Amino acid sequence: MRISASLLLSSFGQRLFSAIGLLLLLASPLAAQPNRIEQTESCDVLVVGGGLAGVSTAYESLHAGRTVCLTEMTDWLGGQLTSQGTTALDEARMQRQLLFYASGYKDLRQRVLDLYGRQNPGDCWVSAVCFLPADAHDILVDILNEAAREGDGTLKWFPSTVVKELDIDGSMIESAIAIQHSPAPGTPPLNTEPLSAFYEDVYRYEDSERLSKNIIRFQPTGNEGPADWYVVEATETGELIALSGVPYRLGLDPKSYLNPSSPTLTGDAYCTQGFTYTFAMERTEEAQVQERPEYYDIYAPYFSFERERDNTNYIDFVFTYRRLWAPGNRPERRIFGVSDIKPGDISMQNWTWGNDYRPGTFVDNLIYSHEQLEATGQLEPGGWLGGLRVDTLRRGEENAFSYYHWLIGGLSDSQLGYGIKSVDLRHRFLTGFDAPMNTAHGLSKHPYIREGRRIIGRPAYGHPEGFMINEIDISRVDYSDEYYQTQLPDGMYLQLRRALAGLETAAAIGENKAATDIPRRTRSTIFPDSLGIAQYAIDFHPCMELAPPELPGNTERAGVRRAHGQSYPGQIPLRALIPQEIDNMLVAGKSIATSTIAAAAYRVHSFEWSVGIAAGATIDYALENQLLPYSLVDDLPRFEPELLELQQRLQERGNPTAFPDTSIFNLDWEDWRVW
């Protein structure tokens, strides 16, 4: 495996990675090299990661008649929609009202309606579509099988599979070695233990007492052209980005005129958004015996309902928030805009000051930085073990179990104090393979990951250090606020206002206008290479200041929420999918080239579907025309006829590349607020 010699952008925290920090890292032994390849599979497209972005990449490729190998660590397709338990679709209001989505995503929503007879079978209030994870997996399986039949494509699906090594020759990935795991003879089924109990085991070549391994080599089918296959990075944390050595960022970006709300001048690789082990709970008729976790007192100081709400039953408020199943005739009484709770209702929990786990320092961060990966030997040949801190995974699991106990039985509240929290033991924590999470322990199979490694795209016009979607490309923040005028470093505020001038840019520069005299455009950046659409709020679940997150009195990292709030309808430019240095890899999912602030909006369900469609369509076009994806954008802003043809193909298949009435002249987007 080749590790790039290019300089990865490092944060201040990474540069201060100390000897003390190194001692705190538990370096895992290098895994043995494979002494056997038990299976060889050939593909036109290898999609690594079976979340929504991976599924939609496969969907588009199958419709094009391609052979697709699709791997996924868990045994469910869908990622945040299924194995991560967040089966409550995060959607912007106007986009939902107009159903202005990629065609396959609309099909997904329609199949929910067809299955349940109603669009919101959970009758939740956070979304217009809340339903059960197992049903989402089954729907996605049907969608992919139908795509293969309709397009005469071939799907090779590899559940419980991770990629261990990449064979890279120059700028091309030649092959990949993966490990598929299954229960060792005489051991319980998969999903019996939480993920932390076996996470690193699935990345080791050798069989263990718990798992049997099947070693698979993925290789090209042998298409003609500059690339004979493509590999798509669609994992939850950007595993292939680390393995391939392409430049990337992790955590907070340095403050700049492009990301003026960042709280740090130097960046911080350790402060990523919190991750969440979701779980399901059922309302019961009678009070239940509740088991108190032995570690409950460690995590209890963290939990809170966050802010006071007048005349609110807080437990009912949180229960109905992400209720996934509300069967039978509903009560006439309405609470929080939805039907009242009745026994048998099932709720999924995903709460910021609850089962969110929010580490943010070099001693407890979940996703290892480049320096940490080097220190633990994971970038050595055969050394990859997934790139996560397993102890933090475990603590996230303990935090989730503890949050359930606090929710139904606790009396403290870290933000509101005593006196506001009540007890309601009429609940059951749902476990078992027939329960919503399909696990014996009851937690989701994989934590919900909001942010991972994010590539830095190739240098481009206006982006000399590498392409990236930034805060000012989508944010509705009022940058005339006193903070930006007084707190940005010298000259940065003027740069910011000029960058937001839109049609007034030439006048702002030519007339040397003062920053406060430059008007601010009221729309998102329009990208000439857009292949899809995305809109959601810039929604932060910030890391905590101190380690561990549950430390009594701990606070969120100051300033991270400054950019939190409304956004304009945005686009998915092709340049955000193309990494540096590797020509036959595209990036889908949350690891596209975005700043951490933009990533807080580019992470929801419909975005993942759209970016996967963009990746699949680009690959098909590149294979058909025997070209490399970067050649479609390397002459921008000059006219790119082949790029235009690709965009037209997407639009003809019902996949919009821009929101209605998008133009440099339309500055009226008030109706398109997220909520």
Side-chain angles (χ1 to χ4, degrees):
M1 178 177 66
R2 175 186 64 81
I3 297 296
S4 171
S6 67
L7 178 65
L8 302 180
L9 296 189
S10 300
S11 70
F12 178 67
Q14 287 172 308
R15 293 195 298 271
L16 288 183
F17 192 81
S18 64
I20 295 174
L22 284 170
L23 290 174
L24 291 171
L25 286 171
L26 298 177
S28 302
L30 294 182
Q33 294 291 312
N35 55 16
R36 65 193 192 279
I37 299 293
E38 296 164 312
Q39 188 174 346
T40 298
E41 297 289 346
S42 298
C43 340
D44 299 317
V45 187
L46 169 60
V47 181
V48 183
L52 279 177
V55 168
S56 59
T57 302
Y59 169 87
E60 190 69 10
S61 299
L62 291 168
H63 268 295
R66 302 295 177 181
T67 298
V68 179
C69 296
L70 174 61
T71 73
E72 163 58 22
M73 171 185 278
T74 73
D75 55 356
W76 269 1
L77 292 171
Q80 62 174 303
L81 190 63
T82 58
S83 59
Q84 298 171 34
T86 57
T87 319
L89 302 183
D90 291 319
E91 298 174 339
R93 180 189 60 192
M94 181 64 77
Q95 190 179 10
R96 180 180 65 246
Q97 290 174 358
L98 298 179
L99 284 180
F100 199 74
Y101 300 110
S103 61
Y105 184 80
K106 288 194 290 187
D107 183 27
L108 168 65
R109 293 176 99 263
Q110 181 62 45
R111 287 171 189 252
V112 174
L113 177 59
D114 293 343
L115 177 65
Y116 292 101
R118 48 190 171 135
Q119 194 72 79
N120 188 2
D123 200 20
C124 68
W125 56 264
V126 72
S127 172
V129 187
C130 291
F131 62 114
L132 297 170
D135 292 332
H137 166 73
D138 292 341
I139 287 172
L140 292 174
V141 169
D142 288 343
I143 285 176
L144 287 187
N145 287 335
E146 288 184 17
R149 289 195 298 270
E150 292 171 2
D152 199 23
T154 300
L155 175 63
K156 301 180 180 181
W157 155 234
F158 298 88
S160 307
T161 302
V162 298
V163 167
K164 174 73 170 178
E165 295 192 69
L166 298 175
D167 175 19
I168 300 176
D169 183 7
S171 64
M172 294 288 175
I173 298 174
E174 299 291 332
S175 65
I177 298 178
I179 305 170
Q180 187 172 46
H181 61 272
S182 59
T187 64
L190 298 179
N191 303 309
T192 297
E193 306 96 345
L195 182 62
S196 69
F198 60 91
Y199 179 78
E200 289 191 345
D201 190 2
V202 306
Y203 288 92
R204 292 191 169 97
Y205 285 122
E206 62 271 21
D207 293 340
S208 66
E209 292 183 358
R210 181 67 180 91
L211 299 176
S212 297
K213 313 292 178 60
N214 179 42
I215 313 302
I216 307 168
R217 182 189 300 278
F218 293 108
Q219 63 186 25
T221 53
N223 292 284
E224 294 183 359
D228 52 4
W229 76 331
Y230 282 88
V231 177
V232 176
E233 155 58 67
T235 67
E236 298 302 319
T237 59
E239 294 184 43
L240 299 194
I241 293 172
L243 269 174
S244 63
V246 302
Y248 67 92
R249 279 186 177 162
L250 179 64
L252 302 178
D253 298 283
K255 186 191 296 289
S256 70
Y257 76 94
L258 298 170
N259 295 286
S261 300
S262 175
T264 169
L265 290 173
T266 55
D268 187 342
Y270 309 116
C271 181
T272 59
Q273 292 216 52
F275 68 94
T276 309
Y277 274 103
T278 62
F279 59 83
M281 56 191 290
E282 180 184 11
R283 175 64 62 89
T284 59
E285 189 77 47
E286 305 292 338
Q288 305 294 308
V289 175
Q290 307 288 346
E291 182 178 352
R292 175 188 170 101
E294 60 182 358
Y295 39 73
Y296 174 75
D297 289 340
I298 296 174
Y299 299 95
Y302 172 76
F303 304 128
S304 175
F305 286 124
E306 301 183 16
R307 63 180 184 273
E308 290 193 48
R309 297 171 173 87
D310 294 337
N311 303 316
T312 296
N313 180 316
Y314 286 87
I315 295 178
D316 287 357
F317 180 81
V318 173
F319 188 94
T320 53
Y321 175 54
R322 291 180 180 271
R323 180 169 52 186
L324 300 183
W325 181 232
N329 295 323
R330 303 309 301 163
E332 291 186 8
R333 180 172 179 262
R334 307 283 289 178
I335 58 174
F336 318 118
V338 295
S339 65
D340 200 355
I341 305 168
K342 58 183 279 190
D345 286 3
I346 294 174
S347 172
M348 176 267 290
Q349 289 302 308
N350 177 8
W351 191 254
T352 305
W353 285 88
N355 49 335
D356 277 11
Y357 198 63
R358 301 192 277 163
T361 74
F362 71 90
V363 300
D364 66 348
N365 62 315
L366 175 66
I367 303 171
Y368 280 151
S369 69
H370 180 71
E371 284 81 358
Q372 290 172 321
L373 291 172
E374 287 186 324
T376 55
Q378 293 205 43
L379 297 182
E380 297 296 324
W384 183 248
L385 293 174
L388 302 186
R389 190 190 301 267
V390 174
D391 184 62
T392 297
L393 274 180
R394 177 186 59 80
R395 296 180 74 88
E397 292 157 359
E398 293 178 351
N399 180 77
F401 285 125
S402 299
Y403 169 62
Y404 167 76
H405 189 78
W406 174 85
L407 183 60
I408 53 92
L411 291 173
S412 62
D413 189 298
S414 65
Q415 307 303 299
L416 305 179
Y418 282 90
I420 198 165
K421 179 75 172 64
S422 61
V423 170
D424 190 341
L425 302 181
R426 297 173 301 151
H427 294 92
R428 180 181 294 112
F429 187 91
L430 295 177
T431 63
F433 298 114
D434 58 349
M437 299 301 164
N438 188 233
T439 61
H441 48 81
L443 298 182
S444 54
K445 301 181 182 193
H446 192 284
Y448 174 37
I449 302 292
R450 295 181 175 85
E451 176 188 351
R453 302 175 183 90
R454 310 180 312 276
I455 61 166
I456 302 169
R458 301 185 181 205
Y461 180 84
H463 300 267
E465 297 181 358
F467 181 84
M468 187 171 288
I469 304 169
N470 294 292
E471 172 190 349
I472 66 170
D473 290 321
I474 59 171
S475 178
R476 285 181 180 261
V477 163
D478 179 7
Y479 293 110
S480 64
D481 182 89
E482 181 182 0
Y483 169 84
Y484 297 98
Q485 294 191 42
T486 61
Q487 299 302 310
L488 296 186
D490 290 345
M492 189 178 290
Y493 187 61
L494 179 59
Q495 283 183 294
L496 167 64
R497 296 305 304 220
R498 285 178 172 177
L500 288 169
L503 293 174
E504 299 299 319
T505 300
I509 297 173
E511 299 173 16
N512 199 26
K513 289 185 177 181
T516 53
D517 293 335
I518 299 174
R520 185 237 203 273
R521 70 165 193 245
T522 52
R523 59 163 173 81
S524 63
T525 297
I526 299 173
F527 294 107
D529 55 332
S530 176
L531 300 184
I533 56 173
Q535 189 188 18
Y536 196 63
I538 299 175
D539 182 16
F540 276 104
H541 295 236
C543 74
M544 304 297 282
E545 287 277 6
L546 304 174
E550 64 273 9
L551 192 71
N554 205 354
T555 58
E556 292 182 351
R557 174 71 177 266
V560 172
R561 286 188 185 269
R562 180 166 296 280
H564 187 98
Q566 295 275 354
S567 69
Y568 291 110
Q571 295 178 317
I572 304 170
L574 174 57
R575 285 169 292 174
L577 281 63
I578 302 174
Q580 297 183 32
E581 303 185 10
I582 303 295
D583 290 338
N584 67 337
M585 181 169 79
L586 290 183
V587 178
K590 295 181 283 286
S591 289
I592 66 170
T594 59
S595 70
T596 189
I597 294 174
Y602 279 74
R603 64 173 172 83
V604 296
H605 305 79
S606 64
F607 153 74
E608 281 211 48
W609 191 275
S610 290
V611 76
I613 294 296
T618 300
I619 289 169
D620 178 58
Y621 188 87
L623 288 173
E624 177 185 327
N625 291 279
Q626 298 186 23
L627 53 80
L628 294 171
Y630 77 82
S631 70
L632 297 170
V633 294
D634 59 349
D635 285 333
L636 291 176
R638 290 189 293 272
F639 180 60
E640 294 269 16
E642 291 167 319
L643 172 64
L644 178 60
E645 185 177 359
L646 172 59
Q647 291 171 322
Q648 290 172 339
R649 284 192 183 187
L650 281 160
Q651 294 160 9
E652 288 168 0
R653 283 187 45 77
N655 300 306
T657 60
F659 282 88
D661 302 320
T662 293
S663 81
I664 60 174
F665 303 105
N666 182 10
L667 300 179
D668 182 9
W669 292 92
E670 283 305 299
D671 290 341
W672 287 84
R673 289 184 172 269
V674 177
W675 53 74

